[in-house]
Amino acid sequence: QVQLVESGGGLVQTGGSLRLSCAASGRTFSSYCVGWFRQAPGKEREFVSGISWTGTNTAYADSVKGRFTISRDNAKNTAYLQMNSLKPEDTAVYYCAATPTWGRRVAPLYNYWGQGTQVTVSV
């Protein structure tokens, strides 16, 4: 079992920045790839970004490429999502998730999930 807890969400103006954190406990964090997903009201949960076990590989949705940066610190059992140049369309609940396999962009393929953190970007 891996327990994940997100933090860092909040209300920010268009063009602002936030850094989300995903703190893990339980099994060895470095054995899992981490994904960030988001879900806006009335929409499906969508892939935002992913990072491999040691951080060598990263992936981004086209909608956030160049604005968001994913990273991880295995010594702290924490993954991060730095979000810059935020837009109103980035408003959603953001979730971190863990999977033992790299390259997954579909939510059902992730084994463990956090409770989510709300990000709201005002115009």
Side-chain angles (χ1 to χ4, degrees):
Q1 285 280 355
V2 176
Q3 293 79 40
L4 302 172
V5 178
E6 302 96 335
S7 62
L11 174 64
V12 64
Q13 291 184 331
T14 296
S17 299
L18 284 173
R19 187 175 84 153
L20 305 183
S21 297
C22 173
S25 60
R27 290 192 172 184
T28 306
F29 182 58
S30 59
S31 298
Y32 294 88
C33 301
V34 174
W36 284 96
F37 290 77
R38 66 187 181 187
Q39 188 166 19
K43 295 188 176 182
E44 292 187 353
R45 192 168 298 190
E46 65 174 356
F47 174 82
V48 175
S49 182
I51 189 166
S52 60
W53 308 270
T54 60
T56 301
N57 297 303
T58 59
Y60 298 91
D62 288 343
S63 59
V64 307
K65 203 171 291 184
R67 300 188 296 123
F68 291 10
T69 302
I70 192 170
S71 61
R72 67 188 297 164
D73 184 341
N74 286 343
K76 296 182 178 180
N77 288 345
T78 303
Y80 305 95
L81 185 68
Q82 177 67 43
M83 305 187 296
N84 298 329
S85 302
L86 283 162
K87 305 175 181 179
E89 50 263 44
D90 294 318
T91 295
V93 177
Y94 282 71
Y95 300 88
C96 68
T99 176
T101 304
W102 167 244
R104 291 177 167 174
R105 296 188 176 217
V106 181
L109 297 180
Y110 280 73
N111 304 82
Y112 305 104
W113 290 84
Q115 82 290 349
T117 185
Q118 176 71 46
V119 172
T120 303
V121 184
S122 63
V123 298

